[in-house]
Amino acid sequence: MHAVDSRPNPAEAPQAPPPRHVARVRNRSQRDSRVAWLLSLPTLVILIAMLAYPLYRMIVLSFQNMRLKELFSGKTPPWAGVDQYTKALTDGVFWGVVGRTAAFTVVSVTLSVLAGLGIALLMRRVHAKVRLFMMIAMMFVWALPQLVAAQSFRWLTDSDFGVLNYVLTELGFDYATHSWFVNPWEGWAVITTLVVWAGIPFLAISLSAGLTQVPKELLEAATVDGASAWQALRNITLPILKPLLTIVTTLSVIWNFGLFTQNWALRDGHPEPVYQTLATFSYTQAFGRSNYSYGSAISVITVLLMLGVMIFYIRQMFKIGEVD
C-alpha cells in the first residue's frame, strides 16, 4: 500500500489576497487617473472644437485640386487623390526646405537650451535681488510679441540705418551699407539669434525653477568628496533635471520647427527661396501662388513630421505625472 501525499500542491494552492495597503494604493492610483482625465476634459474639448474641423478641411483639401475658379465660384474642387502628396515628395525644392527647417531647428534648439541652462545656473549663484532683476528682464523679453521682436531686429540689421552696422563700422570694420541677408549664412545667423534670444527667457526661468529641486546637501557632499563643478553638474544636477530638460527641449523643437513670423518679417513678407521654411513654404504655395491643395498637402506632411515629437512630449508628461 502506497502512502498518499496529502500536502497541497503549491501551484494549486489558493493565492493569498493582496495586502490591504496595496489594494488601497491601487485604488488611489486609479482614482487619481480618472480625476486627471476629468480635469483635462475641458481643455481637450476646446482643442478639438478649435482644431478638429480646420484640420479635417485641410486634409480633405489636400486630396483635391482647389483653384481660383473653385474658390470664387464656391464649387466643390475636383478630386485629385494623392497627386499633391506625390508632387511634394518628388520635389527637390520641398526636400530642401525640409532639410533647411530641420537644420535650423537643431541648431537653434541646441543654442537655446545651452544658453538657458547656463543662465539658470548663473541665477542660482547671484544675489536674490540680481536674480529678481534678471527674471523681470527676461519676462519682458518673453512677453514681447514675435512680430515686434522681428521688426526690432530688422531695424538693428538695416543696411543703411542699422545700429549693428554703425557699431561695427565705428569699431574699425567695413560694414557701412552692409546687407546681412545677401549671404544666407549671415541671414540665418540673424534669424537664429532672434529665435534664441526670444526663447531663452522661458528656458532659463523654467530650468532655474527646476534647479531648486536639486538638494544642496548632495552638491555639498560632492564638493567635500573632491568633485569638480563639472562633475557635480554632470552626475548630480543634470540627472535630476533630465525630465524637465526633456520637456523644455521638446517644446522648443515644436515651436522652432514651425518658424514663420521671424523669417517672414525680416524678409518683409517675401522670403527668398533660401530663407523658406516649411511654414512659409506652405503659405507661399497656398496663398502666394494659389496652389491651395498643394499648400494643404505640405501642411499635412508638416503635421505628420511633428506628430512623433508631440507623441514623445505627451509620453514624457505622463511619465513625470506617474513618478509624482
Side-chain angles (χ1 to χ4, degrees), residues 107-123 134-144 146 149 153 191-209 244-245 248-249 251-252 255-256 262:
V107 173
S108 61
V109 170
T110 302
L111 294 176
S112 299
V113 172
L114 290 177
L117 179 60
I119 294 176
L121 292 171
L122 177 63
M123 291 173 63
M134 293 175 65
M135 293 185 65
I136 293 175
M138 286 189 292
M139 288 302 296
F140 274 111
V141 174
W142 178 247
L144 197 66
Q146 290 184 355
F153 267 70
I191 296 173
T192 304
T193 302
L194 169 58
V195 173
V196 171
W197 172 79
I200 283 177
F202 166 75
L203 294 166
I205 294 174
S206 299
L207 294 175
S208 177
L244 181 59
L245 272 172
V248 297
T249 301
L251 282 175
S252 298
W255 293 334
N256 292 6
Q262 289 85 346

Side-chain angles (χ1 to χ4, degrees), residues 28-319:
R28 180 180 178 183
S29 177
Q30 294 175 351
R31 184 173 63 254
D32 291 345
S33 178
R34 289 194 296 267
V35 171
W37 279 108
L38 184 62
L39 294 175
S40 303
L41 188 60
T43 302
L44 294 175
V45 171
I46 293 174
L47 288 175
I48 292 174
M50 294 180 61
L51 299 177
Y53 181 73
L55 183 61
Y56 164 76
R57 288 295 304 151
M58 184 178 68
I59 294 174
V60 172
L61 186 60
S62 68
F63 288 99
Q64 297 174 337
N65 185 18
M66 169 72 80
R67 296 162 296 185
L68 287 175
K69 175 183 176 181
E70 287 77 22
L71 180 65
F72 290 117
S73 65
K75 295 181 180 179
T76 302
W79 192 258
V82 296
D83 291 350
Q84 308 297 341
Y85 293 95
T86 302
K87 178 182 177 181
L89 296 177
T90 57
D91 185 7
V93 175
F94 168 77
W95 286 112
V97 173
V98 173
R100 190 180 306 116
T101 305
F104 162 79
T105 302
V106 171
V107 173
S108 61
V109 170
T110 302
L111 294 176
S112 299
V113 172
L114 290 177
L117 179 60
I119 294 176
L121 292 171
L122 177 63
M123 291 173 63
R124 304 312 305 172
R125 293 178 174 270
V126 298
H127 192 271
K129 293 182 179 179
V130 179
R131 186 186 309 127
L132 178 61
F133 173 78
M134 293 175 65
M135 293 185 65
I136 293 175
M138 286 189 292
M139 288 302 296
F140 274 111
V141 174
W142 178 247
L144 197 66
Q146 290 184 355
L147 186 59
V148 176
Q151 289 292 348
S152 300
F153 267 70
R154 183 184 174 190
W155 294 333
L156 286 172
T157 58
D158 185 79
S159 58
D160 296 321
F161 307 103
V163 176
L164 183 58
N165 285 356
Y166 173 78
V167 172
L168 291 175
T169 302
E170 290 295 315
L171 292 175
F173 300 97
D174 186 16
Y175 272 82
T177 68
H178 176 75
S179 177
W180 289 88
F181 292 93
V182 172
N183 186 336
W185 290 99
E186 293 182 353
W188 275 109
V190 173
I191 296 173
T192 304
T193 302
L194 169 58
V195 173
V196 171
W197 172 79
I200 283 177
F202 166 75
L203 294 166
I205 294 174
S206 299
L207 294 175
S208 177
L211 287 172
T212 60
Q213 304 303 313
V214 180
K216 293 183 179 180
E217 296 79 8
L218 287 179
L219 297 176
E220 293 173 355
T223 303
V224 171
D225 291 339
S228 63
W230 166 248
Q231 290 174 331
L233 174 66
R234 184 184 61 183
N235 298 320
I236 298 177
T237 303
L238 290 182
I240 295 176
L241 278 182
K242 183 179 178 181
L244 181 59
L245 272 172
T246 302
I247 290 176
V248 297
T249 301
T250 307
L251 282 175
S252 298
V253 169
I254 294 173
W255 293 334
N256 292 6
F257 195 83
L259 175 73
F260 181 91
T261 304
Q262 289 85 346
N263 58 332
W264 188 267
L266 286 172
R267 301 313 301 138
D268 197 23
H270 302 284
E272 296 84 351
V274 73
Y275 294 113
Q276 292 278 8
T277 59
L278 277 171
T280 58
F281 186 64
S282 172
Y283 183 89
T284 301
Q285 292 297 322
F287 300 101
R289 300 184 179 181
S290 301
N291 295 328
Y292 304 105
S293 295
Y294 186 49
S296 298
I298 295 172
S299 299
V300 172
I301 294 174
T302 304
V303 172
L304 292 177
L305 289 175
M306 291 304 302
L307 189 59
V309 180
M310 290 186 288
I311 291 175
F312 177 79
Y313 169 72
I314 294 172
R315 289 186 60 186
Q316 292 301 315
M317 291 292 292
F318 276 103
K319 284 184 179 179

